[in-house]
Amino acid sequence: MTNADHTAPQSGGFDSNADVYARLESIRQSIDNIDAALIHLLAERFKFTQTVGRLKADHGLPPADLAREARQIKRLRALAEESHLDPAFAEKFLNFIVAEVIHHHERIAGGAAEA
Ligand SMILES: C=C(O[C@@H]1C=C(C(=O)O)C=C[C@H]1O)C(=O)O
């Protein structure tokens, strides 16, 4: 079964339970692949933000940059709209990640070795 198959209209009649479960399984494989990609992307993002945190700590810059965050929110809300994703969700998602990044930066600035 290809990725396109699980979204194809069914050819009339009733699907057996087995058909429904096969389609569900196929769709879930794609969902699992996307979830894996998200984890990999987040891991890469956090590697870069850790580097930013060390740079800021070394030069006495504050952990948060609200002007930068405002620009990111504006950009991501526009991208979400173009992609038919709820912009409010995109903003909440970014804020959730940034809050974690700022915790890391605060720990780095406080001299915690594991931050
Ligand atoms: C990574 C930074 O630090 C913070 C975290 C941000 C982020 O995760 O994108 C953005 C702005 C800052 O509040 C940065 O200043 O670039």
Side-chain angles (χ1 to χ4, degrees), residues 44-65 68-69 72 101-102 104-106 108-109 115:
E44 283 303 301
R45 190 183 198 282
F46 275 102
K47 276 195 221 167
F48 283 115
T49 56
Q50 290 294 84
T51 304
V52 170
R54 282 189 288 272
L55 193 63
K56 285 179 174 178
D58 288 348
H59 294 87
L61 295 170
D65 181 338
R68 161 79 173 149
E69 290 175 31
Q72 286 167 288
V101 170
I102 288 168
H104 293 178
H105 288 188
E106 286 167 349
I108 294 169

Side-chain angles (χ1 to χ4, degrees), residues 1 4-16 19-20 22-23 27:
M1 181 180 273
D5 290 328
H6 58 60
T7 54
Q10 296 306 295
S11 54
F14 295 100
D15 295 331
S16 68
D19 286 343
V20 172
R23 282 164 59 203
I27 297 165

Side-chain angles (χ1 to χ4, degrees), residues 25-94:
E25 184 50 35
S26 167
I27 297 165
R28 284 177 175 172
Q29 277 178 15
S30 294
I31 292 169
D32 285 348
N33 286 345
I34 291 168
D35 288 347
L38 287 173
I39 293 298
H40 288 138
L41 288 171
L42 280 173
E44 283 303 301
R45 190 183 198 282
F46 275 102
K47 276 195 221 167
F48 283 115
T49 56
Q50 290 294 84
T51 304
V52 170
R54 282 189 288 272
L55 193 63
K56 285 179 174 178
D58 288 348
H59 294 87
L61 295 170
D65 181 338
L66 298 183
R68 161 79 173 149
E69 290 175 31
R71 290 194 300 275
Q72 286 167 288
I73 287 168
K74 192 170 174 219
R75 176 170 174 265
L76 290 191
R77 286 186 68 101
L79 285 173
E81 268 177 48
E82 273 175 32
S83 312
H84 307 289
L85 179 72
D86 180 359
F89 171 77
E91 181 169 347
K92 265 194 284 183
F93 183 63
L94 182 72

